[in-house]
Amino acid sequence: MKFVIQRDHLVQSVQDVMKAVSSRTTIPILTGIKIVASDEGVTLTGSDSDVSIESFIPKEEEDKIIVDIQQHGAIVLQAKFFSEIVKKLPTDQVEIEVHSSMQTVIRSGTSEFNLIGLDADEYPHLPQVEENNVFTVPTDLLKAMIRQTVFAVSTSETRPILTGVNWKVENNQLICIATDSHRLALRKAPIDLAEDAIYNVVIPGKSLNELSKILADNNEGIEIVITENQVLFKAKHLLFFSRLLEGNYPDTSRLIPNESKTDIVLKTKEFLQAIDRASLLARESRNNVVKLSTIETGDIQISSNTPEVGKVVEEIKSQSLEGEELKISFSAKYMMDALKALEGTDIKISFTGAMRPFIICPINDDSILQLILPVRTY
Amino acid sequence: MKFVIQRDHLVQSVQDVMKAVSSRTTIPILTGIKIVASDEGVTLTGSDSDVSIESFIPKEEEDKIIVDIQQHGAIVLQAKFFSEIVKKLPTDQVEIEVHSSMQTVIRSGTSEFNLIGLDADEYPHLPQVEENNVFTVPTDLLKAMIRQTVFAVSTSETRPILTGVNWKVENNQLICIATDSHRLALRKAPIDLAEDAIYNVVIPGKSLNELSKILADNNEGIEIVITENQVLFKAKHLLFFSRLLEGNYPDTSRLIPNESKTDIVLKTKEFLQAIDRASLLARESRNNVVKLSTIETGDIQISSNTPEVGKVVEEIKSQSLEGEELKISFSAKYMMDALKALEGTDIKISFTGAMRPFIICPINDDSILQLILPVRTY
């Protein structure tokens, strides 16, 4: 194998596939990045066997030569070293050449690295994904849907299925749901499906976080292919595979109340900042709990109290308040997470009593919903 | 105590004195910030008993009212909570009022905090520093002198005196020296002294790092007062006290060679980047060692080798090379630290053989010197 490549393209591709490489893998060859040089260009692959990322660097783009392939071939190079090296090479052009014994020479200016490579034939094959049913989501929408749900997955392995986000496709709609059993985040969006397919899968939260980091901020379409045990995201020159979590995701629809007894409309930012301040004196106590009360003026009060430190009271103007009086306690952290995930300047919170889950939505937007379970205080 | 203060001034002062507050102190009241309201303004103090910082907020500055003192008094508030609270308050004006039982109310907009204060009389007094001999150093020079030496202090407590920087004042010159016994950094600058005073003290590296962070980037003069066991730095509205380390600093002058056998002049940045790359394959082995060799062309070669990973060879053009041929090994980390501390585009390295300490200086500048002990390789 021998090629000369533009350093910035190589650096970007290495950085992308590195997102899948883990130093804690039990399969030694997966600490490496696979590099394949073919007629079309150079393909890099990184994998931790849960997530696999393939990045392709074409020979030419927009009439500019990016790679000059001089000899086909493949090699695996230790990711930790290779990624650091390419970042720090002194010149814009980099030559990579593999000698007979898998000795790999990386040349740039007067800098010359000799790395001991591994046999590319030993590298695991990527999952085979049959592309029968593909649907497309714009990158920015996909990133928003991930951001607005993935924070609510469970971080505990006691119920592994809850560490993933439930993706359902039905009635030409994609619905993403995450819950750790204390709070729930739901986001839906219409999609175009060729056939009337139905999916119900669980994608690891970790995979979605990595995917989100790697995707550019634009509205180009990402093709999504869901199979029995894999999901594949296809962007330009990039393939992102993730295994799916096994097991049935709990039916969350019953959790979401249909009616409400108290509805409050608030300015999102003002409410978020007040919760943030109130949580300062709640941090020490269990669960970071603050109290919300309706007051006579039709506005609301947020308060918290840690006896040895002090207490805080915040008053917030409500845009509207309808229904019963209310005193309810909840985790400030969950509320802040939910508010940060919402878009829009105004939100509506719908309560059905101090002991029942309550929901937070942007006003006039039913595509996103955040649900929080209150905390019983004594 | 009762006053109304501009929030941004309060935030800045709290942030400054927080640099001295440690959560790991054994003296409970030192987890607090002392606040004193007097006719002139508000004074905040933070201390971990090694370092004490006092920040003064005047009533008025440039004809703008900053504090409106309504009642004199003093209180100590828990630093961790108070600093977070002031940062997040909603309005530009903050009212702070202490009630009879040391209950302290902080009001800003519709936000109201009640903190349990501590008795300010219990707060330790700041060191008494007699200002007999004061000298002045411009802030930017002081920060440079700290930056160029403090990185070389020892991080090990086996010889506590080496965790400090040796400050010597003699012949109207300030000399700062730090060494961890593997490398040494020296920086000197002329100063104006009223009398012909001589000082030889050791200031904890940690104190100098904190001081450096707190000082603005300008060339206003900082007054420095050195006493038997304290040093005081006086900037505008700011006092920074540090205790001195006890014991005698080793005489480092004998370490620095007067003659040299090989002198090499190099471009600082090019050399630093080559060392950085060579260190990538040296990281795994003991001490992060790279090898420097003179080559026939009159240039130099940097190399390193980790058998299980690979090797790297870098060639660097020398601006000039005089004297004997040389092969020498040293820590890449120490070399990078030294190069980053130097100013100027060209540096001169003077060697006196493969087993002797060598020195690195900017060309035509003897105010700064970096010394590194080589590593014996087998």
Side-chain angles (χ1 to χ4, degrees):
Chain A
M1 185 179 90
K2 186 173 178 184
F3 60 84
V4 177
I5 190 164
Q6 295 296 319
R7 192 177 61 99
D8 50 353
H9 283 84
L10 182 62
V11 169
Q12 182 59 52
S13 271
V14 169
Q15 200 173 307
D16 285 351
V17 302
M18 276 297 281
K19 295 274 192 305
V21 179
S22 161
S23 55
R24 284 177 298 168
T25 176
T26 51
I27 307 166
I29 202 160
L30 291 187
T31 60
I33 289 176
K34 185 167 85 160
I35 305 166
V36 179
S38 68
D39 274 343
E40 290 73 37
V42 172
T43 306
L44 304 184
T45 310
S47 176
D48 67 357
S49 76
D50 284 345
V51 167
S52 302
I53 301 173
E54 191 179 289
S55 173
F56 176 68
I57 306 167
K59 270 172 63 176
E60 290 182 20
E61 201 170 50
E62 291 164 6
D63 285 340
K64 277 188 198 150
I65 293 178
I66 300 167
V67 195
D68 175 19
I69 308 279
Q70 291 165 15
Q71 201 189 331
H72 293 182
I75 192 79
V76 175
L77 295 178
Q78 288 194 37
K80 194 178 79 174
F81 295 104
F82 185 59
S83 64
E84 285 295 311
I85 289 169
V86 297
K87 254 192 283 183
K88 294 187 169 170
L89 288 174
T91 57
D92 289 344
Q93 286 209 339
V94 178
E95 181 184 304
I96 298 182
E97 180 175 7
V98 179
H99 292 273
S100 51
S101 54
M102 293 190 280
Q103 279 275 355
T104 305
V105 181
I106 304 169
R107 273 188 212 94
S108 168
T110 54
S111 171
E112 182 173 308
F113 284 80
N114 266 272
L115 291 184
I116 297 164
L118 299 165
D119 187 352
D121 291 340
E122 310 273 312
Y123 197 88
H125 291 288
L126 289 190
Q128 293 298 311
V129 172
E130 279 188 36
E131 305 187 8
N132 290 334
N133 251 312
V134 178
F135 61 94
T136 302
V137 177
T139 309
D140 44 10
L141 175 61
L142 179 64
K143 288 181 82 162
M145 294 185 84
I146 293 173
R147 184 180 68 80
Q148 290 168 335
T149 52
V150 75
F151 69 88
V153 300
S154 173
T155 52
S156 142
E157 284 292 335
T158 46
R159 287 181 71 189
I161 197 81
L162 295 187
T163 64
V165 180
N166 184 203
W167 277 37
K168 292 194 284 193
V169 173
E170 54 189 35
N171 305 325
N172 279 310
Q173 208 174 214
L174 171 62
I175 308 170
C176 305
I177 301 167
T179 180
D180 61 5
S181 76
H182 302 289
R183 37 107 174 248
L184 175 147
L186 180 151
R187 171 71 205 261
K188 52 190 177 186
I191 52 169
D192 281 328
L193 265 179
E195 293 173 53
D196 197 19
I198 290 180
Y199 298 105
N200 189 342
V201 297
V202 184
I203 306 175
K206 195 168 154 285
S207 302
L208 292 170
N209 275 324
E210 293 304 335
L211 173 65
S212 194
K213 281 184 216 160
I214 217 175
L215 294 177
D217 285 306
N218 59 40
N219 60 0
E220 278 175 38
I222 303 279
E223 287 180 21
I224 302 173
V225 189
I226 295 174
T227 70
E228 207 180 330
N229 52 21
Q230 290 281 337
V231 58
L232 164 61
F233 298 88
K234 295 173 78 175
K236 191 183 171 199
H237 298 324
L238 191 82
L239 301 181
F240 186 104
F241 297 83
S242 170
R243 89 183 154 86
L244 299 174
L245 291 177
E246 283 174 36
N248 291 317
Y249 201 80
D251 177 14
T252 53
S253 60
R254 289 166 310 157
L255 257 178
I256 300 165
N258 298 319
E259 35 154 47
S260 68
K261 293 185 177 165
T262 313
D263 291 304
I264 307 174
V265 176
L266 296 167
K267 294 273 173 210
T268 317
K269 198 175 154 194
E270 194 186 336
F271 184 50
L272 174 60
Q273 289 173 344
I275 296 281
D276 192 6
R277 283 192 296 272
S279 77
L280 292 175
L281 296 192
R283 224 158 250 172
E284 301 288 285
S285 59
R286 205 167 52 91
N287 265 335
N288 197 351
V289 171
V290 297
K291 187 185 282 184
L292 180 150
S293 319
T294 54
I295 53 177
E296 286 157 12
T297 54
D299 297 317
I300 64 162
Q301 199 180 69
I302 305 290
S303 59
S304 79
N305 190 356
T306 302
E308 64 280 19
V309 181
K311 60 182 181 185
V312 49
V313 177
E314 298 274 343
E315 276 188 30
I316 303 158
K317 280 254 168 287
S318 73
Q319 305 302 109
S320 82
L321 194 156
E322 285 169 19
E324 300 176 4
E325 284 178 18
L326 181 78
K327 283 193 200 312
I328 190 168
S329 297
F330 51 81
S331 154
K333 181 183 179 304
Y334 291 164
M335 180 58 89
M336 288 193 282
D337 285 348
L339 293 173
K340 285 175 194 165
L342 294 175
E343 282 157 2
T345 54
D346 294 82
I347 49 128
K348 177 168 146 185
I349 316 183
S350 305
F351 299 93
T352 38
M355 294 302 154
R356 304 288 306 280
F358 58 91
I359 59 179
I360 311 150
C361 296
I363 51 167
N364 308 323
D365 179 0
D366 66 348
S367 73
I368 178 165
L369 172 153
Q370 303 285 340
L371 175 145
I372 296 174
L373 272 71
V375 176
R376 192 187 292 262
T377 50
Y378 301 93
Chain B
M1 186 178 88
K2 186 173 179 184
F3 60 84
V4 177
I5 191 164
Q6 295 296 319
R7 192 177 62 98
D8 49 353
H9 282 83
L10 182 62
V11 169
Q12 182 59 52
S13 271
V14 168
Q15 200 172 307
D16 285 350
V17 303
M18 276 298 280
K19 294 275 192 306
V21 179
S22 161
S23 55
R24 284 177 297 169
T25 176
T26 51
I27 308 167
I29 201 160
L30 291 186
T31 60
I33 289 176
K34 185 167 84 161
I35 305 167
V36 179
S38 67
D39 272 344
E40 289 73 37
V42 172
T43 306
L44 303 184
T45 310
S47 176
D48 67 357
S49 76
D50 284 345
V51 167
S52 301
I53 301 173
E54 190 180 291
S55 173
F56 176 68
I57 306 166
K59 270 172 63 176
E60 291 183 20
E61 202 170 48
E62 291 164 4
D63 285 340
K64 278 187 197 151
I65 293 177
I66 300 167
V67 195
D68 175 19
I69 308 279
Q70 291 165 14
Q71 200 189 333
H72 293 182
I75 192 78
V76 175
L77 296 178
Q78 288 195 38
K80 194 179 77 175
F81 295 104
F82 184 58
S83 65
E84 284 296 310
I85 290 168
V86 296
K87 253 192 284 181
K88 294 187 169 169
L89 289 174
T91 57
D92 290 344
Q93 286 209 340
V94 178
E95 181 184 303
I96 299 184
E97 180 175 7
V98 179
H99 292 273
S100 52
S101 54
M102 293 190 281
Q103 280 274 355
T104 305
V105 181
I106 304 169
R107 273 188 212 94
S108 169
T110 55
S111 170
E112 182 174 308
F113 284 80
N114 266 271
L115 290 184
I116 298 164
L118 299 165
D119 187 351
D121 291 339
E122 311 272 312
Y123 198 86
H125 290 288
L126 288 189
Q128 292 299 311
V129 172
E130 280 189 35
E131 305 188 9
N132 290 334
N133 253 311
V134 178
F135 61 94
T136 303
V137 177
T139 309
D140 43 10
L141 175 60
L142 178 65
K143 288 180 83 163
M145 295 185 83
I146 293 172
R147 183 181 67 80
Q148 290 167 336
T149 53
V150 75
F151 68 89
V153 300
S154 172
T155 52
S156 143
E157 284 291 334
T158 46
R159 289 181 69 190
I161 197 82
L162 295 187
T163 63
V165 180
N166 184 201
W167 278 37
K168 291 194 284 194
V169 173
E170 54 189 33
N171 306 325
N172 280 309
Q173 208 175 213
L174 170 63
I175 307 170
C176 305
I177 301 167
T179 180
D180 61 5
S181 77
H182 302 291
R183 38 105 174 248
L184 175 147
L186 180 151
R187 171 69 206 263
K188 52 190 177 187
I191 52 168
D192 282 327
L193 265 179
E195 293 173 54
D196 195 20
I198 291 180
Y199 298 104
N200 189 342
V201 297
V202 184
I203 307 175
K206 195 169 154 286
S207 301
L208 292 170
N209 275 324
E210 294 303 335
L211 173 65
S212 196
K213 279 184 217 158
I214 216 175
L215 294 177
D217 285 306
N218 60 39
N219 60 0
E220 279 175 37
I222 303 280
E223 288 180 19
I224 303 173
V225 189
I226 296 175
T227 70
E228 208 180 330
N229 52 22
Q230 289 282 337
V231 57
L232 164 60
F233 298 88
K234 295 173 77 175
K236 192 184 171 198
H237 298 325
L238 191 82
L239 301 181
F240 185 103
F241 299 82
S242 171
R243 88 182 156 87
L244 299 173
L245 291 177
E246 283 173 37
N248 291 317
Y249 201 79
D251 177 15
T252 53
S253 61
R254 290 167 311 156
L255 257 179
I256 301 165
N258 299 319
E259 34 155 47
S260 68
K261 294 185 177 166
T262 313
D263 291 304
I264 307 174
V265 176
L266 296 167
K267 294 273 174 210
T268 317
K269 197 175 156 195
E270 195 186 334
F271 184 50
L272 174 61
Q273 289 173 344
I275 296 280
D276 192 8
R277 283 191 296 272
S279 77
L280 291 176
L281 296 192
R283 224 157 250 174
E284 301 288 285
S285 58
R286 203 167 51 91
N287 264 335
N288 196 351
V289 171
V290 297
K291 188 186 280 184
L292 179 150
S293 320
T294 54
I295 53 175
E296 287 157 13
T297 54
D299 297 318
I300 64 162
Q301 199 179 68
I302 305 289
S303 59
S304 79
N305 190 357
T306 302
E308 64 279 20
V309 181
K311 60 182 181 186
V312 49
V313 178
E314 297 275 343
E315 276 188 28
I316 303 159
K317 281 256 168 284
S318 73
Q319 304 303 108
S320 83
L321 193 157
E322 285 168 23
E324 299 176 4
E325 285 179 15
L326 182 78
K327 283 193 201 310
I328 191 169
S329 296
F330 51 81
S331 154
K333 180 182 180 305
Y334 291 164
M335 180 59 89
M336 288 192 282
D337 285 349
L339 294 172
K340 285 175 194 165
L342 294 174
E343 283 158 0
T345 55
D346 294 81
I347 49 127
K348 178 168 145 185
I349 316 183
S350 305
F351 298 94
T352 38
M355 293 303 153
R356 305 287 307 280
F358 58 91
I359 59 179
I360 312 150
C361 297
I363 52 166
N364 307 323
D365 179 1
D366 66 348
S367 73
I368 179 165
L369 173 152
Q370 303 284 340
L371 176 144
I372 296 173
L373 273 71
V375 176
R376 193 188 290 265
T377 50
Y378 302 91

